[in-house]
């Protein structure tokens, strides 16, 4: 009786152990059925996201292989648009080079700068922290941010920089900074960095505030000796999702550099020295109405941004290792 009872108790476990494993698709379907209320709640956002983000991206990819002017039915051209972009469009090469230059310089620097400033502010007393946060965040939301730089680098004797340089005898005549090809790109990069402490900066402060303080005590016991080790082994891994969010914002801002150039230098800039992919895209879409060619430009820009995001994700995955 004992043996039979033992076998009876064991058999269900053995049958469960040797049962056929459920497929991943079926498992997802079962879980979705259990949590259907949550999917109903996110359905409005999901529908809007698909309609206004996913569908336009897919349509852009399709249209990039066509010739389309919004009046006639699209004419299939294959990869001709891409061949023309890289082999016959010299202005696209200029725009591509400038966009990569702006992205490589402003993207990583603004991302690192946002974290360093947030880390510094997080160490301040609460009241002082709030005041300093407003000071650093103000340039990114001030409507007159570009006006300030325009006044400082105004191209006549009334500009502050020209006035100082003339007074010190370093120049003999005023410099029109935002029309001079020697200064356009450096000044645009500096202004971009100055206005880069936006949402990612605030998210970093929130992430630092949310780090569990007990982890630092545990780290000290495990051999963490200084603040740099605390940052690498504890702080950064604890706020990896916040860092990824800030990185995406920095990358998006770096590749969408055209607005700063337009505000400071006009469109187009002198000799197209600060011409970007965003300018090139708007030129063919909003002026020439060549939507097939403009879609090819947007697909190239989209691919570059996706590649940059993938590199950032790989880098952040190694943080703390």
């Amino acid at each position: 009786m004992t043996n039979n009872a033992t076998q009876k108790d064991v058999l269900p476990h053995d049958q469960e152990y040797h049962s056929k494993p459920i497929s991943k698709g079926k498992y997802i379907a079962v879980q979705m059925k259990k949590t259907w209320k949550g999917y109903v709640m996110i359905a409005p956002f999901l529908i809007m996201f698909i309609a206004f983000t996913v569908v336009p991206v897919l349509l852009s990819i399709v249209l990039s292989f066509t010739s389309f002017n919004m009046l006639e039915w699209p004419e299939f051209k294959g990869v001709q648009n891409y061949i023309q972009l890289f082999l016959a469009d010299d202005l696209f090469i200029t725009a591509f080079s400038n966009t990569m230059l702006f992205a490589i310089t402003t993207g990583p620097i603004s991302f690192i700068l946002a974290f360093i400033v947030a880390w510094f502010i997080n160490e301040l007393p609460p009241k002082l922290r709030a005041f300093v946060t407003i000071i650093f965040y103000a340039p990114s939301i001030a409507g007159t941010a570009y006006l300030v730089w325009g006044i400082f680098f105004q191209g006549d004797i009334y500009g502050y920089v020209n006035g100082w340089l003339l007074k010190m005898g370093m120049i003999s005549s005023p410099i029109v900074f935002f029309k001079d090809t020697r200064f356009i790109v450096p000044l645009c990069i500096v202004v971009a960095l100055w206005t880069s402490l936006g949402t990612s900066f605030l998210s970093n402060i929130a992430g630092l505030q949310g780090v569990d303080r007990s982890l630092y005590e545990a780290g000290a016991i495990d051999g963490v000796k200084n603040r740099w080790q605390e940052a690498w082994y504890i702080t950064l891994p604890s706020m990896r999702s916040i860092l990824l969010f800030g990185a995406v914002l920095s990358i998006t801002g770096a590749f969408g550099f055209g607005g700063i150039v337009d505000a400071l230098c006009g469109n187009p800039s002198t000799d197209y020295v600060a011409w970007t992919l965003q300018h090139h895209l708007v030129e063919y879409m909003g002026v020439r109405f060549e939507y097939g060619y403009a879609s090819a430009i947007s697909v190239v820009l989209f691919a570059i941004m996706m590649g940059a995001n993938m590199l950032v994700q790989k880098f952040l995955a190694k943080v703390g290792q």
Side-chain angles (χ1 to χ4, degrees), residues 11 56 92 121 141 152 157 174 179 182 205 224 243 302 309:
L11 278 176
F92 170 79
I121 293 176
I141 59 175
F152 268 90
I157 60 174
K179 299 297 180 182
R182 297 173 299 172
I205 294 179
V224 175
L243 293 175
F302 176 74
N309 280 317

Side-chain angles (χ1 to χ4, degrees), residues 96-308:
F96 181 84
S97 301
N98 288 334
T99 300
M100 295 304 296
L101 173 63
F102 290 140
I104 292 173
T105 52
T106 62
I109 294 177
S110 64
F111 175 70
I112 295 172
L113 185 64
F115 177 77
I116 292 177
V117 174
W119 192 20
F120 163 74
I121 293 176
N122 187 59
E123 301 298 318
L124 299 176
K127 292 184 179 180
L128 182 59
R129 182 192 307 149
F131 176 73
V132 176
T133 299
I134 294 175
I135 292 177
F136 278 96
Y137 185 61
S140 64
I141 59 175
T144 58
Y146 300 133
L147 177 62
V148 172
W149 287 90
I151 293 174
F152 268 90
F153 290 92
Q154 190 171 333
D156 52 32
I157 60 174
Y158 299 105
Y160 287 106
V161 176
N162 275 322
W164 294 331
L165 294 177
L166 287 169
K167 187 175 182 180
M168 292 184 292
M170 299 181 66
I171 58 175
S172 57
S173 60
I175 300 174
V176 185
F177 288 98
F178 292 115
K179 299 297 180 182
D180 194 320
T181 56
R182 297 173 299 172
F183 301 104
I184 289 176
V185 173
L187 285 176
C188 287
I189 291 175
V190 171
V191 174
L193 293 176
W194 187 66
T195 58
S196 64
L197 297 179
T199 306
S200 60
F201 161 67
L202 293 180
S203 65
N204 283 331
I205 294 179
L208 289 168
Q209 291 289 312
V211 177
D212 188 357
R213 308 305 298 181
S214 63
L215 294 176
Y216 295 108
E217 299 176 3
I221 296 174
D222 290 338
V224 175
K225 299 179 180 179
N226 52 55
R227 297 302 300 275
W228 295 109
Q229 290 182 348
E230 283 185 355
W232 181 254
Y233 292 110
I234 300 175
T235 305
L236 294 178
S238 298
M239 52 183 298
R240 187 178 282 113
S241 59
I242 299 294
L243 293 175
L244 180 59
F245 173 72
V248 171
L249 291 180
S250 297
I251 291 171
T252 303
F255 283 101
F257 203 84
I260 294 177
V261 178
D262 292 346
L264 297 175
C265 310
N267 186 13
S269 55
T270 306
D271 294 338
Y272 294 92
V273 69
W275 190 255
T276 65
L277 288 178
Q278 185 179 3
H279 290 124
H280 211 53
L281 173 61
V282 173
E283 171 75 14
Y284 277 91
M285 182 178 65
V287 179
R288 304 189 186 191
F289 298 102
E290 297 182 19
Y291 285 88
Y293 197 73
S295 296
I297 299 172
S298 67
V299 169
V300 171
L301 184 58
F302 176 74
I304 296 172
M305 294 178 67
M306 288 296 295

Side-chain angles (χ1 to χ4, degrees), residues 1 34 52 206 245 284:
M1 293 294 293
K34 291 181 179 179
F52 295 102
F245 173 72
Y284 277 91

